[in-house]
Amino acid sequence: MPMNEVARYAVFGNPIRHSKSPQIHAEFARQCEQSLQYRAVFVEMGLFSETARRFFEHGGQGINVTVPFKREAWEFAEVLSERARRAGAVNTLSLAADGKILGDNTDGIGLVRDMVANLGWTIRDNCVLLLGAGGAARGIVELLLRESPRCLQIVNRTSSRAEELATAFADLGPVSGGAYETLDGTRFDLVINATSASLGGELPPLPASLLTERSCCYDMMYAPEPTIFMRWAAQNTAWAVADGLGMLVEQAAESFYIWRGLRPQTGTVVAELRASMGGS
Ligand code: NDP
């Protein structure tokens, strides 16, 4: 990139209007005194590769990728990090010095950092329940297992997807997969909702007996008000409940680190976003 040119980054998605990534990265750049441009790009379905190629050809340095293009970004990348290879999804593309396009996945590290470093929750030696087996779940299983939980159980509406996901990561730790009906009295220390059910105001079929008074519950979705899953957790005496805003900022911070080699402070950014979202 020419010396006097501002580095250009973007988030690609469809829809993209409500993305908070431009606000997050503008704040990271301000904090770290980096001169860069970051914008949200609406990409037509079927045009991901073409749009991404054009972006890099015209001097773009990196792209964050959101729904529904993480799989296409995985296919587009010329070199994959190990975590992205296993996840089968890429949320961070970057241009290497040799001109190659690198694909990484920062969702898992973002979630684990938020739960462990920010919220002070413990995964190690605890029993973890993961709800959902879609793209987001696939991106976090490796990082969860690397924290050495006592067990990781994955349940999904389409149970075969949970079974497949567990099989794909079985070499990394004690993980099993199945249907909601298999939740028969087992209690979990940590329950992570990686379904999109909260988006539609729906709750997966969870028995109340799932939680203890020491359980922590995390909804990867975020909203101005507590989600239906968070309300369910609170009503069932969970010890701590959180939404996915911290994960959003942490996964962005990891992307920023990949691109710029600098680690921004995330706490103030989460607080600013929370305030700008309103809610009671
Ligand atoms: P996908 O569409 O890939 O997967 C959706 C998952 O939700 C599937 O497992 C699906 O089950 C399940 N599901 C959908 N509706 C219901 C329901 N009513 N009851 C039970 N299960 C249901 O979505 P993603 O994995 O990409 O995203 C999931 C969530 O994670 C979203 O809310 C997204 O906003 C959030 N997310 C948050 C991030 C953050 O930074 N905070 C980052 C990435 C995602 P089935 O397989 O049977 O269809």
Side-chain angles (χ1 to χ4, degrees), residues 70 132-136 156-158 161 194-197 202 220 244 247-248:
K70 289 183 186 179
N156 193 43
R157 186 173 57 181
T158 311
R161 293 183 81 191
T195 74
S196 49
E202 289 176 31
M220 282 174 49
M247 171 182 176
L248 177 77

Side-chain angles (χ1 to χ4, degrees), residues 9-13 16 19 21 24-25 28 38-39 48 52 55-56 61-77 79-95 101-113 135-140 143 220 222 244 246-259:
Y9 299 89
V11 55
F12 280 20
I16 200 65
S19 172
S21 295
I24 296 171
H25 281 276
F28 288 168
Y38 186 109
R39 64 196 175 98
F48 178 82
F55 182 80
F56 283 115
Q61 295 289 298
I63 302 173
N64 278 144
V65 183
T66 185
V67 177
F69 298 120
K70 289 183 186 179
R71 183 72 193 182
E72 281 172 72
W74 186 84
E75 283 158 9
F76 178 77
V79 181
L80 291 168
S81 69
E82 175 58 13
R83 61 193 179 194
R85 187 189 66 74
R86 288 195 77 125
V90 157
N91 76 341
T92 306
L93 290 167
S94 47
L95 185 65
I101 306 294
L102 312 182
D104 206 339
N105 189 318
T106 65
D107 282 339
I109 189 91
L111 172 71
V112 168
R113 267 203 200 123
R138 182 167 276 275
I140 63 178
L143 275 290
M220 282 174 49
Y222 47 86
M247 171 182 176
L248 177 77
V249 175
E250 291 296 344
Q251 61 80 28
E254 187 68 15
S255 294
F256 191 87
Y257 177 72
I258 290 169
W259 292 332

